[in-house]
Amino acid sequence: MLRRKAALWAVWAAAGVLLADAVAATVAVRLLVVDSPGEAVRILQQLKNGADFAVLAREKSTDATAVDGGFLGKIDPATLRPELRDALRGLRPGALSPIVKLPSGYAVLKVLANSDLAKLDEASRARQAAITAGSSVRYAPDLDGQSESVATLLQIPKPPDWGQDPEMICEVHRRAYATAMDRVSRMLDPADDRSLAHRNATSYDWVEAFFTKGNLYAYVGDMPKAIEQFEAAYQYSQTKLPQMLPIMEEALGIAYLQQSRMENGVFHNPGERCIFPPPPGMRFAQTASSEKAIQHLLKCLEHDPEDLEVKWLLNVAESTLGNYPDKVPARYLIAPSYFASSESVGRFTDVAAEAGLNHFAMSSGVVVDDFDNDGLLDVITSDYDTCAPMHFFHNNGDGTFSDRSAAAGITHELGGLNLVETDYNNDGCLDVLVLRGAWEKGAQRMSLLRNNCNGTFTDVTKESGLSKPTNAQGAAWADINNDGLLDLFVVNERGPSQLYLNKGDGTFQDISHSAGIDRSEFSKGVAAADYDGDGYVDFYVTNINNAPNFLYHNNRDGTFTDVAEQAGVPGTGRSFATWFFDYDNDGWPDLFVNSYFKSVEETMKTYLGLPFNAGTLKLYKNLGNGTFRDVTKETGLDRVYMPMGANFGDIDNDGYPDIYLGTGAPSYASLVPNVLLRNKEGKSFVDVTASSGTGELDKGHGVAFADLDNRGFEDILTSIGGATPGDRHVFRLFENPGNANDWIVLRLVGVKANRAAIGARIKVTVRNEGKDTRAIWHTVGSQSSFGGSPLRQHIGLGKSAEILKMEIWWPGTATPQTFTNVDKRQFIEIKEGAAAYTKLAYRPYRLGGANRRTP
């Protein structure tokens, strides 16, 4: 039942076909979808003349499988749409189907023979293995409207160079949504001669049209109208398509739960109502929609009592009525004990509203740093909404922030899912790179915002040579040739990665091809580090479309070689955020890689201790010889959490980096807790989410660790919000409760090296009371590929610490700059080559200031 239900959900994907990694494997198929019948005829003729199907699919197909050469994997034809099922019937291996008319376009399919499979290149074989391994992963229901809106975006005509103008990008997206709604409304309007009533429409077509229109209403957050359409599909299914009833019951349960959460204001004023496990006594004021959600979810469970995804959603819905756990039916209860923390680091408190970080947005990026050189950390955010502006929150020095976006000159910078800070021109003022086009095929330009050192920014993208449109979410700044200038590596989701060499005059040169890094995959993240200690920075790139990751070794001559396989860091086939960090303080940068399977069911298996079908997080220990060892299981990270944004920091100042994962997926069903993992002396990681109160249920994206109140403890900042306008959410600032452990904060200033000191390595040798001497290692600029912590280094020292020695290796140098007799609990600046350091002001204050509410 679960597999059949997963298949039925999947046929409502934007292309109208079943996703390969959600079905049983019976026959290997490639798919190519184009917009017009004329184009389909030309494509079919080219294929019959011997053209390579995979090459044409990559170049021409509008389907999401294009990046894989149209490879769907091994599928069960019985689970496909009727049109595709009929087209495959009787098709021999190696044969092409006739042209198939779909709601999203015109398709051609090819059944692969064994000889075709044998000819797959190495990357394709790895991808196929990943697909097979994840073939029984059940994905969250496509209930959010994003797929419908994006599919239309790909089809509508657009002005030339539309991706160069943020305002035009906004307009095109608005038109795409209006076009999608107009199309489906005409399909359901009996008075329109193009409607389903005037065609030889099947019952499936009617149900799909109702559902599509409901999804489009859900996209903008109009849940009453969305529910009206889902109810129509439900009523139609009862008499015409009873096999659809489990889907419609779950859809209505999800929709009513989303409506309940909106009616009760949890997106604008969440408090602890979005934290799981919920605090005692938590109950929504308006309960009618939650009650309806529960009714539909219980009906769904009558069809399959073991449906883990629906069980979980029922527990969430019951918690909104104050019924969790005591009044949840025993057979469906997922008890609080499964989420309990075995230890505590204290309770974190969200103080974003009191502090003035009033950011209400969809998915968004966040960077935290001192952008006006007043010694205080500011916050800059973006917004996945292509019509929404960036925000600059200035630190007032009293625990509050002021929105100075207009004064900073960034309100015309619309959209952008990720941000990366740097000082690309070595003027001592931190600049910002805005990345656009992620998760969509419509390529959009980045924005390089130069800091004018007077509280304002100027968009210098065009004159810098960085205006080539991208589909990018990941980028890293690093000095690839140790000339003191920061270069830029950008990874794309469609198209080759880009490496830009900094020429030192404010411009960049594209050296992607000559450097050997211009490979095309659905790449999501990139991290930089000198992993082998040869003095030159290397890059790690994550890929999400069932493909192995890349580890680009710097050949020290302007070229790079992918050594991921021999180094032992392939990833999971569906990798997302990544970073280098020294989790065990042995002096070698280790590698953390998120796995990203959009599955509520697989996430729940983590908590319940059940076997996975999806790939887990990955932690690779650097062995110091150019290779890594997979230590995921032995460190307790063999878990599936659906993480998107993620980052690391030291929450308890013990000198070992901890991890915070922002979880979720576009679907409104994807309500799973964000996760806080404490590093236990470089040996293992323990989940302290429940005890710390950081288990936000809504979608987590950009994450940063920063000591915003100068108390010596890193707080956790995370942008919360989904991929649709109907899933906007306020920002979270989780204040660290602190403890007695010691710390020091360093700001490094390069002279021969780049001024921001990106790539500089720090070793602090400390002695803690009653313990042996140990070393703590940090690298400037080493942070997550989805979230920006400050470039200043906050270094936890442990309890009763004495700093014996501090050493800094600047990029391109083999001899460390050394200091002794350094006091702890201070903020210091160290210039490259200087004999002494400078102590800087670090006055503590209370986040929220006078606005702070008394608990």
Side-chain angles (χ1 to χ4, degrees):
M1 178 63 197
L2 273 178
R3 181 158 298 187
R4 176 61 180 158
K5 186 178 176 188
L8 289 170
W9 265 116
V11 296
W12 282 334
V17 299
L18 187 63
L19 295 176
D21 40 357
V23 296
T26 56
V27 60
V29 176
R30 288 195 191 271
L31 169 76
L32 193 157
V33 181
V34 292
D35 294 337
S36 69
E39 178 72 356
V41 170
R42 287 190 292 273
I43 291 289
L44 184 57
Q45 190 59 51
Q46 287 179 271
L47 293 170
K48 288 180 177 179
N49 291 339
D52 187 284
F53 195 110
V55 172
L56 278 181
R58 290 188 183 101
E59 293 177 351
K60 304 291 186 181
S61 182
T62 61
D63 188 72
T65 59
V67 71
D68 292 321
F71 187 51
L72 282 173
K74 292 186 175 182
I75 61 174
D76 177 4
T79 60
L80 294 173
R81 289 182 57 91
E83 306 97 308
L84 297 176
R85 185 172 64 242
D86 293 344
L88 287 173
R89 186 173 291 118
L91 210 60
R92 296 178 180 179
L96 297 165
S97 76
I99 295 170
V100 182
K101 175 69 173 69
L102 298 172
S104 60
Y106 299 83
V108 178
L109 300 99
K110 180 181 180 179
V111 175
L112 299 187
N114 289 334
S115 58
D116 294 320
L117 291 172
K119 293 176 183 177
L120 288 172
D121 60 20
E122 184 176 339
S124 295
R125 288 198 302 271
R127 182 182 296 112
Q128 183 191 6
I131 288 172
T132 304
S135 62
S136 54
V137 172
R138 179 189 172 194
Y139 282 70
D142 184 19
L143 197 150
D144 51 78
Q146 187 197 32
S147 295
E148 289 83 352
S149 182
V150 170
T152 307
L153 172 69
L154 304 180
Q155 298 168 5
I156 63 172
K158 307 174 210 39
D161 296 329
W162 69 280
Q164 291 286 349
D165 180 359
E167 292 186 1
M168 181 60 70
I169 294 169
C170 165
E171 178 56 33
V172 168
H173 277 76
R174 283 176 172 166
R175 184 155 51 86
Y177 176 81
T179 300
M181 181 60 80
D182 179 65
R183 286 177 180 175
V184 73
S185 295
R186 285 192 277 105
M187 289 175 66
L188 291 169
D189 183 1
D192 193 308
D193 58 9
R194 294 165 291 184
S195 72
L196 294 177
H198 295 274
R199 304 182 196 175
N200 187 24
T202 66
S203 298
Y204 182 93
D205 291 328
W206 282 99
V207 171
E208 186 176 31
F210 285 127
F211 191 88
T212 298
K213 189 170 185 180
N215 240 4
L216 287 170
Y217 279 126
Y219 177 80
V220 295
D222 192 341
M223 297 313 298
K225 289 183 179 178
I227 289 170
E228 181 181 341
Q229 297 299 316
F230 296 151
E231 290 281 11
Y234 182 57
Q235 296 302 319
Y236 201 95
S237 297
Q238 285 184 315
T239 56
K240 303 287 187 179
L241 291 169
Q243 68 269 31
M244 292 291 185
L245 288 177
I247 287 179
M248 299 317 306
E249 284 155 353
E250 182 178 3
L252 283 165
I254 295 167
Y256 274 115
L257 179 57
Q258 180 78 356
Q259 177 168 279
S260 178
R261 301 175 80 244
M262 295 179 81
E263 289 172 341
N264 285 276
V266 299
F267 294 93
H268 285 275
N269 183 28
E272 292 201 333
R273 293 181 296 172
C274 294
I275 301 296
F276 197 89
M282 194 282 285
R283 174 184 171 87
F284 283 3
Q286 300 183 50
T287 61
S289 292
S290 286
E291 291 166 359
K292 289 181 179 178
I294 290 168
Q295 292 171 10
H296 284 288
L297 293 171
L298 286 171
K299 285 183 181 179
C300 189
L301 286 167
E302 290 176 5
H303 295 276
D304 184 1
E306 300 307 314
D307 188 325
L308 191 53
E309 176 180 272
V310 179
K311 277 186 182 181
W312 165 247
L313 291 172
L314 176 65
N315 280 258
V316 174
E318 292 280 17
S319 74
T320 67
L321 302 183
N323 292 342
Y324 178 84
D326 298 339
K327 297 182 181 179
V328 179
R331 66 185 303 193
Y332 302 139
L333 175 64
I334 301 178
S337 58
Y338 290 114
F339 303 89
S341 302
S342 60
E343 57 185 57
S344 176
V345 292
R347 189 81 175 179
F348 286 66
T349 304
D350 177 24
V351 295
E354 296 94 324
L357 293 175
N358 300 311
H359 184 50
F360 183 70
M362 291 165 54
S363 313
S364 58
V366 58
V367 287
V368 182
D369 224 311
D370 182 3
F371 291 100
D372 51 11
N373 287 336
D374 62 356
L376 302 171
L377 295 174
D378 311 300
V379 179
I380 297 181
T381 62
S382 61
D383 196 324
Y384 187 50
D385 183 345
T386 56
C387 298
M390 292 177 60
H391 286 272
F392 177 80
F393 295 99
H394 169 74
N395 191 327
N396 299 323
D398 61 359
T400 66
F401 293 78
S402 298
D403 189 338
R404 293 190 181 175
S405 308
I410 62 172
T411 53
H412 62 285
E413 295 290 342
L414 308 179
L417 184 54
N418 196 14
L419 305 170
V420 188
E421 83 266 40
T422 189
D423 181 2
Y424 79 93
N425 56 0
N426 287 335
D427 65 353
C429 302
L430 291 176
D431 316 294
V432 179
L433 181 73
V434 185
L435 298 167
R436 296 190 179 92
W439 298 115
E440 298 171 1
K441 294 182 181 178
Q444 304 168 21
R445 75 165 173 88
M446 303 178 287
S447 286
L448 178 60
L449 305 182
R450 186 189 66 207
N451 191 330
N452 299 318
C453 300
N454 61 1
T456 69
F457 294 82
T458 297
D459 190 327
V460 295
T461 313
K462 185 176 181 179
E463 48 266 52
S464 68
L466 298 178
S467 60
K468 182 178 180 179
T470 64
N471 296 96
Q473 183 174 329
W477 294 93
D479 185 355
I480 66 169
N481 54 7
N482 293 331
D483 64 353
L485 302 171
L486 288 170
D487 311 298
L488 176 63
F489 188 28
V490 180
V491 295
N492 281 286
E493 296 174 2
R494 292 184 64 84
S497 297
Q498 299 157 307
L499 180 60
Y500 291 99
L501 187 70
N502 191 331
K503 297 170 68 176
D505 59 359
T507 68
F508 294 82
Q509 177 187 354
D510 188 341
I511 61 168
S512 310
H513 184 68
S514 64
I517 57 82
D518 56 339
R519 297 175 64 179
S520 294
E521 274 297 349
F522 201 97
S523 300
K524 293 301 296 179
V526 58
D530 177 10
Y531 77 89
D532 57 351
D534 67 354
Y536 285 78
V537 69
D538 313 292
F539 295 107
Y540 187 75
V541 177
T542 60
N543 301 311
I544 204 170
N545 251 26
N546 300 306
N549 298 336
F550 308 142
L551 176 59
Y552 286 117
H553 176 259
N554 190 330
N555 299 321
R556 297 181 281 181
D557 60 0
T559 68
F560 293 78
T561 301
D562 178 17
V563 296
E565 183 178 359
Q566 49 266 50
V569 289
T572 64
R574 295 192 64 85
S575 302
F576 201 161
T578 186
W579 59 73
F580 285 99
F581 68 163
D582 192 349
Y583 83 94
D584 56 358
N585 282 323
D586 67 353
W588 293 97
D590 310 299
L591 183 59
F592 178 81
V593 188
N594 276 352
S595 65
Y596 188 58
F597 291 81
K598 296 184 286 187
S599 174
V600 173
E601 180 176 86
E602 294 295 311
T603 302
M604 286 303 108
K605 288 178 180 178
T606 286
Y607 293 106
L608 296 174
L610 299 174
F612 305 121
N613 293 317
T616 69
L617 306 171
K618 285 292 180 183
L619 179 61
Y620 297 110
K621 175 179 172 60
N622 192 329
L623 300 180
N625 60 1
T627 68
F628 294 76
R629 180 167 64 88
D630 188 337
V631 294
T632 307
K633 188 170 184 178
E634 67 188 69
T635 56
L637 290 177
D638 52 336
R639 310 173 188 185
V640 178
Y641 282 126
M642 212 190 316
M644 297 182 293
N647 216 327
F648 65 93
D650 188 354
I651 56 172
D652 52 0
N653 280 348
D654 65 352
Y656 293 93
D658 312 299
I659 296 171
Y660 189 68
L661 305 175
T663 62
S667 172
Y668 292 165
S670 300
L671 297 173
V672 295
N674 288 358
V675 180
L676 182 59
L677 301 170
R678 178 177 178 263
N679 185 339
K680 297 188 70 173
E681 298 184 337
K683 298 180 178 63
S684 65
F685 289 81
V686 61
D687 189 335
V688 294
T689 309
S691 62
S692 65
T694 57
E696 167 68 57
L697 281 174
D698 284 286
K699 320 302 168 53
H701 285 85
V703 175
F705 284 75
D707 181 12
L708 283 187
D709 50 10
N710 294 349
R711 292 170 48 246
F713 294 90
E714 290 188 295
D715 310 299
I716 301 173
L717 300 91
T718 179
S719 55
I720 306 294
T724 68
D727 216 11
R728 291 186 176 97
H729 197 283
V730 294
F731 196 81
R732 290 285 203 178
L733 166 54
F734 291 111
E735 184 184 38
N736 195 321
N739 61 24
N741 286 349
D742 292 318
W743 51 270
I744 190 169
V745 178
L746 308 183
R747 183 169 75 190
L748 302 189
V749 180
V751 178
K752 293 181 180 179
N754 68 89
R755 184 157 177 172
I758 290 175
R761 300 184 67 220
I762 303 165
K763 178 183 179 183
V764 181
T765 303
V766 300
R767 181 167 52 225
N768 299 104
E769 184 178 6
K771 294 189 177 182
D772 294 335
T773 298
R774 63 178 176 130
I776 301 168
W777 290 84
H778 276 232
T779 300
V780 179
S782 181
Q783 56 188 11
S784 170
S785 61
F786 197 175
S789 300
L791 294 179
R792 67 172 64 170
Q793 296 299 294
H794 179 104
I795 303 175
L797 303 174
K799 188 176 181 180
S800 302
E802 178 188 1
I803 299 175
L804 303 178
K805 185 192 296 185
M806 183 178 296
E807 300 165 273
I808 297 100
W809 284 264
W810 298 87
T813 63
T815 304
Q817 184 177 1
T818 303
F819 297 90
T820 56
N821 300 316
V822 179
D823 292 335
K824 60 189 178 183
R825 293 182 174 250
Q826 62 174 334
F827 178 24
I828 64 175
E829 179 180 277
I830 298 176
K831 286 188 177 182
E832 182 180 8
Y837 61 82
T838 302
K839 184 173 181 178
L840 303 176
Y842 210 62
R843 180 179 61 83
Y845 46 81
R846 188 185 192 196
L847 283 173
N851 303 320
R852 185 70 173 267
R853 292 171 291 186
T854 302

